[in-house]
Amino acid sequence: MKRTVTLGVGLIAASALGAGWAIARRLTAPAEPRIFDLTIRDIEHDDETQQIVLDRTPQTTTDGIYNLWIERGGWARLSAEATDRGPHRIARTVAGTSLELKLATGHRASWSGIYYATPPDAGLNARDITITTPTGPCPAWRIDGDPSIWAIHIHGLGSTRAGTLRGAQVATELGYTSLVVTYRNTTEGPRVGTGRSTLGHTETADVDEAIGYTVRRGAQRIVLFGWSMGAAIALQLAARPRHDGLITALVLDSPVLDWTETIKANCARSGLPTAASHFATPWLTTGPLARMVGLPEPVPLRQFDWITRAADLAIPTLILHGTRDSSAPIRLSQALRDRRPDLVTLETFDADHTLAWNSDPERWRSAVTAWLRGRPSP
């Protein structure tokens, strides 16, 4: 009997270790190409209006404006207008397409909140530059404005810099010079080691070099725009003493404010018990285990817990967060606001992760514009 119990305990322990390893591997996985998991079922024309018929899914029925990326190349912007086509299909109105794109039935596509593919698509006049980082050259877009006030736009895990153009529009309208950056182990940045993400830990060094770039070119004030993990990077940078008085505001969309809680939320979204997230922590934070996962060094998860570190926040912060966020729980943003009402303003939207802008672009822009205009000059 004793041997049976011991064997059972051993199997449970091994199972827990295996689950933790798998979760840690999935969370830090190298950047992957876009998945084209939708099929265009039909193309409808009515006068000058074009509609794309798609399978009914939680994404395709979501309110707001989105982009449909076509596997063969190109994109189609979709307006908020949607029309039922029976119990299993829905039609979305096309608001615009990339040059020379000819939509056709049967084309494979990918649904996305990344509405603009390039700065010109967003009406922005940008030039390509390169930021020299410890891991190699990182491409960036520079959009010129006031050389003394800069905005640095930081995308999230698994995303691209194009996703931040939604915020770069606002910064440009306010007259800031913008830097839209990349960092290591993304689809655009340099690949390092196994290509795995360290959840913002080592990536912060790359964005820090972008700050140096702006300072050498006259920056006196910097606003950091961070999306999801990009917000976690922004918070790390803002906490560095050498940036005191330089970084004057944070605009965070769907921020990761505590990786431990975020991992729990993503376990739940994947149908796993939230307790499974605890098994992943040692694989991320313990040196030998982290190296077995493929990480160059352990990730200091406690350093990313801004609910516990609320007293360390010293910069006015605007948070834009969807109430239906299934990746970065909105309750963490609410908790940070409640702990630091002197610095944190929270705007909520009926949206999922990083889709607040898509759900209501005008209100998103208005909220950010009004808040930034209300910042006193240092």
Side-chain angles (χ1 to χ4, degrees), residues 175-226:
Y176 301 175
T177 293
S178 276
L179 204 58
V180 183
V181 301
T182 57
Y183 45 82
R184 70 189 70 186
N185 292 336
T186 60
T187 56
E188 298 171 288
R191 183 182 174 94
V192 180
T194 61
R196 292 191 169 274
S197 169
T198 59
L199 308 183
H201 175 46
T202 58
E203 294 86 347
T204 296
D206 299 336
V207 184
D208 207 356
E209 293 298 330
I211 293 177
Y213 174 95
T214 71
V215 170
R216 292 189 295 273
R217 286 155 182 82
Q220 298 176 22
R221 286 190 289 156
I222 298 174
V223 177
L224 299 181
F225 283 69

Side-chain angles (χ1 to χ4, degrees), residues 292-335:
M292 289 175 67
V293 168
L295 300 179
E297 58 187 84
V299 179
L301 293 183
R302 291 183 181 179
Q303 186 175 309
F304 289 87
D305 178 0
W306 284 94
I307 309 308
T308 301
R309 294 187 63 191
D312 295 339
L313 186 66
I315 296 174
T317 301
L318 172 64
I319 297 177
L320 307 116
H321 212 138
T323 55
R324 295 186 287 107
D325 195 324
S326 56
S327 291
I330 191 173
R331 59 181 172 79
L332 299 178
S333 291
Q334 294 165 335

Side-chain angles (χ1 to χ4, degrees), residues 109-362:
S110 176
W111 187 269
S112 178
I114 300 177
Y115 199 67
Y116 304 110
T118 66
D121 293 336
L124 301 172
N125 183 19
R127 52 192 170 112
D128 293 311
I129 66 163
T130 298
I131 304 296
T132 302
T133 77
T135 55
C138 286
W141 289 314
R142 175 173 168 173
I143 304 161
D144 287 325
D146 186 335
S148 69
I149 308 173
W150 289 63
I152 298 178
H153 306 267
I154 314 165
H155 69 79
L157 180 64
S159 188
T160 66
R161 58 182 159 153
T164 71
L165 292 172
R166 293 168 283 182
Q169 284 182 323
V170 174
T172 301
E173 289 166 4
L174 290 171
Y176 301 175
T177 293
S178 276
L179 204 58
V180 183
V181 301
T182 57
Y183 45 82
R184 70 189 70 186
N185 292 336
T186 60
T187 56
E188 298 171 288
R191 183 182 174 94
V192 180
T194 61
R196 292 191 169 274
S197 169
T198 59
L199 308 183
H201 175 46
T202 58
E203 294 86 347
T204 296
D206 299 336
V207 184
D208 207 356
E209 293 298 330
I211 293 177
Y213 174 95
T214 71
V215 170
R216 292 189 295 273
R217 286 155 182 82
Q220 298 176 22
R221 286 190 289 156
I222 298 174
V223 177
L224 299 181
F225 283 69
W227 298 69
S228 189
M229 189 183 87
I233 292 173
L235 285 160
Q236 297 301 308
L237 291 168
R240 294 185 172 179
R242 68 174 175 274
H243 298 319
D244 287 351
L246 178 63
I247 299 174
T248 58
L250 302 177
V251 178
L252 311 180
D253 190 297
S254 309
V256 173
L257 298 174
D258 179 354
W259 271 117
T260 300
E261 293 300 315
T262 300
I263 295 169
K264 286 182 183 178
N266 282 272
C267 282
R269 187 178 65 169
S270 300
L272 297 172
T274 57
S277 65
H278 297 297
F279 304 143
T281 300
W283 291 99
L284 297 169
T285 60
T286 306
L289 295 180
R291 285 190 288 274
M292 289 175 67
V293 168
L295 300 179
E297 58 187 84
V299 179
L301 293 183
R302 291 183 181 179
Q303 186 175 309
F304 289 87
D305 178 0
W306 284 94
I307 309 308
T308 301
R309 294 187 63 191
D312 295 339
L313 186 66
I315 296 174
T317 301
L318 172 64
I319 297 177
L320 307 116
H321 212 138
T323 55
R324 295 186 287 107
D325 195 324
S326 56
S327 291
I330 191 173
R331 59 181 172 79
L332 299 178
S333 291
Q334 294 165 335
L336 185 60
R337 175 203 56 193
D338 293 345
R339 294 192 181 197
R340 295 305 307 270
D342 55 321
L343 289 178
V344 177
T345 300
L346 174 62
E347 293 282 347
T348 62
F349 295 77
D350 180 21
D352 204 339
H353 191 58
T354 69
L355 299 178
W357 183 95
N358 302 81
S359 72
D360 195 338
E362 289 307 316

